[in-house]
Amino acid sequence: MDATKLIHHPYQAPDGFQGVAPGVHKASTVIFENTAALKTRQWKDKSGYTYGLHGTPTTFTLEERLATLEGGLQTLLAPSGLAALALVNMACLRAGDEVLIPDNAYAPNKDFARGELAQWGISHRFYDPMDADALAGLITERTRLLWLEAAGSVTLEFPDLPGLLRVARSHLKLVVALDNTWGAGLAFDAFDLGLPDKGGSRGVDISVHALTKYPSGGGDVLMGSVTTRDEQLHLQLKLAHMRLGLGVGANDAELVLRGLPSLPLRYAAHDAATRQVAHWLSARPEFASVLHPALPASPGHAHWAQLCTAAGGLVSVVLDGARYSEAQVHAFVDALKLFKIGYSWGGPMSLVMPYGLRGMRQFGALGGRPDGTLVRFAIGLEEVGDLLADLDQALGVLAARAP
Ligand SMILES: *Cc1c(COP(=O)(O)O)cnc(C)c1O
């Protein structure tokens, strides 16, 4: 047995193979034909390959498809949605700067500001996403980054995105980044929100997407993306991405590439089913409120209606603390059979998650609310009738436990 032959084998498969799925190229090391190639090869503009962390045909292909999905020009991949959020924070902020984050942002983004950013001398403030005038009063010389999120995490308020952007646009040095996970590039166009062109965008400067959710669609992979239309901003993010070593694995990229073609169909199915569930929940007497942007009574419904036709796959209900104890609500959640208790969303299986309202929000109807429980449902791809029957039987348990 010649070990060398197993490594340097004379057989070369013919070029020109084509299948339906893009190839999965795995590499830490990338081979250069000669030292001239070593000196001249460029990865920054995707004209060549230099090292696994800097991109492979598989990751370049996924980046280009995601840029198209989001209406951007350039995309970077990160190992999780949270890593993509952190990348934007780290690339855009330096000591002495301030970042503004909506009160209803994805909670780990707020935790990153309270933790790492504070340690690095970067201050933060949480703002009321439903009050553009109040936002105008918070922006100072030091404000460098403004986060947006629509709809808000867990509580699903839909902000006036063009209104918030108009405020931000009067401050030239302010970068606006949107966590676009809920909209998935389908509910609205983050780079065209009707504003005058700035750096090639009529909307936000940066769109971040947790591909873990809808693009993957399987509940089996973690990945995030950062998309821009501005060449300079992209390069700034790309160099930080390279220095931080935020590469993604080829098998994970493959899973997202496999999910993408069915994304519009799945998103529409989640949307239609979630509207049915939201209407059904609205007719029930148990809930103090049902939060879903397409419901007229849900906060920000008019802003949603101005921008979107789709409404995603999430719906939350609020149970009044004076009527139902946390233990009763947990008994309801435990009684659900098809809805599994778990974080995240965007996969085939319906999920449920209870949240205590105490301290959860500073602003809005839920701000400073001392008591009560919120239950978030992520609607999967099961038969809607089966989901409603499951909710109905579990609400029977809630009623049985009522004092
Ligand atoms: C899930 C999620 C993230 C983070 O994605 P991970 O891949 O789980 O790190 C970020 N933002 C929002 C709005 C999310 O729902």
Side-chain angles (χ1 to χ4, degrees):
M1 206 279 297
D2 183 342
T4 302
K5 281 228 172 75
L6 295 182
I7 301 164
H8 302 267
H9 198 277
Y11 177 78
Q12 293 291 320
D15 287 340
F17 173 81
Q18 286 196 36
V20 173
V24 180
H25 297 267
K26 300 182 194 184
S28 47
T29 298
V30 168
I31 310 280
F32 299 88
E33 310 81 73
N34 49 45
T35 49
L38 177 64
K39 282 198 162 161
T40 56
R41 218 185 263 175
Q42 255 307 331
W43 56 275
K44 290 197 201 90
D45 59 359
K46 291 197 173 87
S47 63
Y49 308 99
T50 51
Y51 188 58
L53 268 180
H54 305 160
T56 64
T58 309
T59 58
F60 283 180
T61 301
L62 179 54
E63 287 174 356
E64 290 297 306
R65 292 184 186 191
L66 290 167
T68 300
L69 167 70
E70 299 233 38
L73 288 180
Q74 313 90 349
T75 296
L76 295 163
L77 301 174
S80 68
L82 182 54
L85 294 168
L87 168 63
V88 171
N89 282 314
M90 290 189 281
C92 294
L93 296 165
R94 57 205 63 180
D97 289 348
E98 183 158 274
V99 56
L100 298 177
I101 304 176
D103 184 34
N104 58 2
Y106 179 66
N109 198 21
K110 296 167 78 173
D111 293 337
F112 188 75
R114 290 191 190 102
E116 277 65 24
L117 293 183
Q119 281 179 40
W120 299 336
I122 297 158
S123 62
H124 62 270
R125 278 199 272 182
F126 302 130
Y127 71 92
D128 179 357
M130 306 308 283
D131 189 344
D133 292 338
L135 174 66
L138 291 179
I139 299 173
T140 70
E141 270 299 290
R142 293 175 48 225
T143 317
R144 194 70 60 234
L145 178 63
L146 170 72
W147 278 104
L148 304 174
E149 195 168 323
S153 271
V154 183
T155 42
L156 301 170
E157 303 91 344
F158 205 96
D160 174 12
L161 285 179
L164 294 171
L165 262 170
R166 230 166 274 126
V167 169
R169 283 284 186 92
S170 52
H171 301 266
L172 282 178
K173 283 188 290 186
L174 187 54
V175 174
V176 180
L178 168 77
D179 185 330
N180 200 17
T181 304
W182 177 93
L186 296 169
F188 58 91
D189 184 348
F191 293 105
D192 189 359
L193 294 166
L195 279 91
D197 184 90
K198 177 199 157 204
S201 172
R202 291 163 54 78
V204 301
D205 301 310
I206 299 171
S207 173
V208 174
H209 195 161
L211 309 174
T212 305
K213 310 286 167 55
Y214 294 120
S216 134
D220 54 359
V221 63
L222 291 155
M223 201 178 293
S225 64
V226 179
T227 298
T228 52
R229 290 189 62 86
D230 181 311
E231 213 47 71
Q232 261 325 102
L233 190 55
H234 174 65
L235 187 61
Q236 185 181 336
L237 289 156
K238 188 169 200 141
L239 291 174
H241 179 271
M242 188 261 293
R243 291 188 288 255
L244 288 162
L246 295 178
V248 304
N251 290 113
D252 288 346
E254 177 193 22
L255 285 178
V256 180
L257 279 165
R258 195 180 167 107
L260 274 189
S262 63
L263 170 65
L265 292 174
R266 289 185 285 106
Y267 196 82
H270 287 294
D271 179 17
T274 306
R275 284 177 202 242
Q276 282 190 55
V277 173
H279 280 118
W280 187 91
L281 293 168
S282 300
R284 296 288 306 208
E286 290 89 347
F287 307 121
S289 51
V290 179
L291 306 169
H292 179 272
L295 292 175
S298 198
H301 168 74
H303 301 313
W304 170 82
Q306 228 162 29
L307 223 55
C308 309
T309 48
L314 299 173
V315 55
S316 295
V317 294
V318 175
L319 291 111
D320 211 317
R323 270 183 82 192
Y324 299 105
S325 68
E326 189 181 60
Q328 282 175 273
V329 178
H330 286 182
F332 158 68
V333 169
D334 285 336
L336 289 162
K337 294 188 170 71
L338 294 179
F339 287 87
K340 301 299 179 190
I341 302 168
Y343 290 108
S344 198
W345 33 276
M349 190 181 284
S350 289
L351 299 171
V352 60
M353 187 54 65
Y355 296 87
L357 281 175
R358 187 184 289 271
M360 186 194 224
R361 294 287 176 258
Q362 275 174 256
F363 305 105
L366 299 174
R369 202 181 166 105
D371 253 321
T373 312
L374 180 149
V375 178
R376 184 186 72 184
F377 302 100
I379 308 304
L381 299 172
E382 301 95 336
E383 299 290 337
V384 182
D386 293 339
L387 295 178
L388 296 181
D390 192 24
L391 289 164
D392 193 47
Q393 64 80 22
L395 284 172
V397 172
L398 180 70
R401 294 285 180 92

